[in-house]
Amino acid sequence: MPAKNENLYVVLVKADILTFSVLPPYVLSSQAAPVPSPLTLIGALMYPIKRFEDNAISEGMTIQDLVKEAYERWGVRYASFWVPPYTETTTLERDLGLTYQRPQRARWITEENIVKCLDYISKRNSGVEVEDIDIACKSLYDEALQNMWGVSSRSMTFFATPSYLLYITDNKNVSRYTWLITRIGRKEDIAIIYDVEMYELQKMIINTYDKCKTQFYIPARLMKGRPENTASWVLNNVINGNLIKEEFIIPIPIYGDKIQYHPDLDKAIIINLPINGSNECVAIPKEVIL
């Protein structure tokens, strides 16, 4: 486990995210957060690490185990996202409703039934008429399998410009793997990495009581009051390997302005990052460095 008070680094990744769409678990159609959560950013980083370092990706790995490994093995303590101008839309997509079946339908979907009825299922899916009707297989197909696919709405974000991913870590090697990030969110949401920079965290910390400006989203508890022209979303945050849900403040794209806020210096440290020719005043939870 990383020791306290050791050297920490800010890894800043410039990324072009073509589309972004993540729905809450077990929900076919819902309004989703327009930006990737810190948990999503850590998942995006751990995918190439597991693929190229361990040469294995386990679909059975729990989220808790993933963030724990990111912290204990790779020293990833925190992640944040610089929100570019964006627009939201809703699309219609085909959904696999396997996990949303009614109990009476779900009882049909067993390995034994699928293997038994594989020939019948293949013919029905191919549009071939089945002369010798197996009543049990017909019931399986009609009552469960053909209802597994449907059409539902999905909220989607389109970012107008590249963004920045921010990672705080005690492991310099993490910066190498950020170049290998290929998606953020679902596998269709492609990310293109343009540049990676690394800074010593201690040199970036500033002491300020003035109003700060940033396009990074911020945990609401790290600021005093609610800034204007912002939206509030509950996101999955990760701090030192601990997964928590908390309220984040993000800029509203229609205004195109940075978040102007007063940081709560009892709960936050402020780091000053150069981005796009200006400085970003980013609030980080104090427990990340303590």
Side-chain angles (χ1 to χ4, degrees):
M1 183 176 295
K4 295 181 179 180
N5 300 324
E6 60 188 326
N7 290 332
L8 296 178
Y9 303 93
V10 177
V11 180
L12 189 64
V13 184
K14 185 177 182 180
D16 193 358
I17 306 171
L18 305 184
T19 62
F20 175 74
S21 177
V22 172
L23 291 180
Y26 311 116
V27 177
L28 275 175
S29 178
S30 174
Q31 178 67 31
V35 293
S37 68
L39 174 61
T40 300
L41 299 179
I42 289 178
L45 172 63
M46 288 300 291
Y47 181 84
I49 287 178
K50 299 295 289 183
R51 181 180 178 185
F52 294 100
E53 184 71 21
D54 298 343
N55 198 29
I57 300 172
S58 174
E59 297 293 340
M61 191 175 193
T62 67
I63 293 175
Q64 288 77 10
D65 288 342
L66 184 71
V67 297
K68 183 178 180 181
E69 180 176 337
Y71 174 60
E72 295 187 350
R73 184 178 175 188
W74 296 97
V76 180
R77 300 192 174 197
Y78 191 71
S80 190
F81 184 73
W82 187 92
V83 183
Y86 66 89
T87 184
E88 295 178 87
T89 187
T90 301
T91 66
L92 293 178
E93 298 184 1
R94 288 181 62 83
D95 280 309
L96 175 62
L98 178 62
T99 58
Y100 313 98
Q101 291 293 322
R102 298 173 182 173
Q104 59 268 34
R105 291 177 181 170
R107 283 194 291 268
W108 285 97
I109 307 175
T110 65
E111 182 179 1
E112 180 181 355
N113 284 342
I114 297 297
V115 171
K116 174 185 173 183
C117 300
L118 189 59
D119 181 62
Y120 180 90
I121 294 169
S122 299
K123 289 180 179 179
R124 285 292 299 269
N125 284 342
S126 302
V128 177
E129 292 187 9
V130 183
E131 296 180 359
D132 298 328
I133 298 178
D134 186 313
I135 300 301
C137 291
K138 183 178 185 303
S139 297
L140 167 66
Y141 190 91
D142 292 344
E143 296 185 25
L145 296 184
Q146 72 173 350
N147 292 300
M148 285 173 57
W149 291 98
V151 177
S152 65
S153 62
R154 176 185 285 269
S155 59
M156 184 175 293
T157 303
F158 293 88
F159 295 111
T161 66
S163 185
Y164 291 87
L165 322 178
L166 181 151
Y167 298 96
I168 294 181
T169 177
D170 58 42
N171 188 339
K172 286 184 176 181
N173 289 328
V174 164
S175 63
R176 295 189 304 165
Y177 291 99
T178 59
W179 281 105
L180 302 176
I181 292 175
T182 55
R183 64 185 179 91
I184 297 175
R186 60 178 185 164
K187 65 181 180 181
E188 292 89 350
D189 296 332
I190 304 300
I192 302 171
I193 306 304
Y194 288 114
D195 192 21
V196 177
E197 297 182 79
M198 185 167 61
Y199 307 93
E200 290 186 27
L201 176 64
Q202 195 62 39
K203 294 180 179 179
M204 309 303 291
I205 295 176
I206 58 174
N207 295 317
T208 177
Y209 290 88
D210 297 328
K211 181 177 288 189
C212 289
K213 294 182 179 181
T214 187
Q215 280 185 238
F216 281 93
Y217 54 40
I218 312 167
R221 62 186 173 90
L222 303 185
M223 61 178 67
K224 297 178 180 178
R226 170 69 180 270
E228 296 181 355
N229 303 333
T230 60
S232 172
W233 283 91
V234 175
L235 303 177
N236 289 309
N237 198 9
V238 179
I239 300 177
N240 296 339
N242 297 311
L243 178 60
I244 60 174
K245 287 184 178 291
E246 64 175 313
E247 179 187 7
F248 277 76
I249 303 299
I250 68 173
I252 296 178
I254 192 172
Y255 295 103
D257 295 330
K258 296 182 179 183
I259 300 175
Q260 299 187 41
Y261 69 100
H262 292 284
D264 186 344
L265 297 182
D266 291 331
K267 301 177 181 177
I269 61 167
I270 307 300
I271 60 175
N272 193 32
L273 286 177
I275 293 180
N276 292 342
S278 63
N279 292 327
E280 296 279 334
C281 186
V282 188
I284 304 296
K286 268 191 175 180
E287 56 265 37
V288 171
I289 68 169
L290 297 180

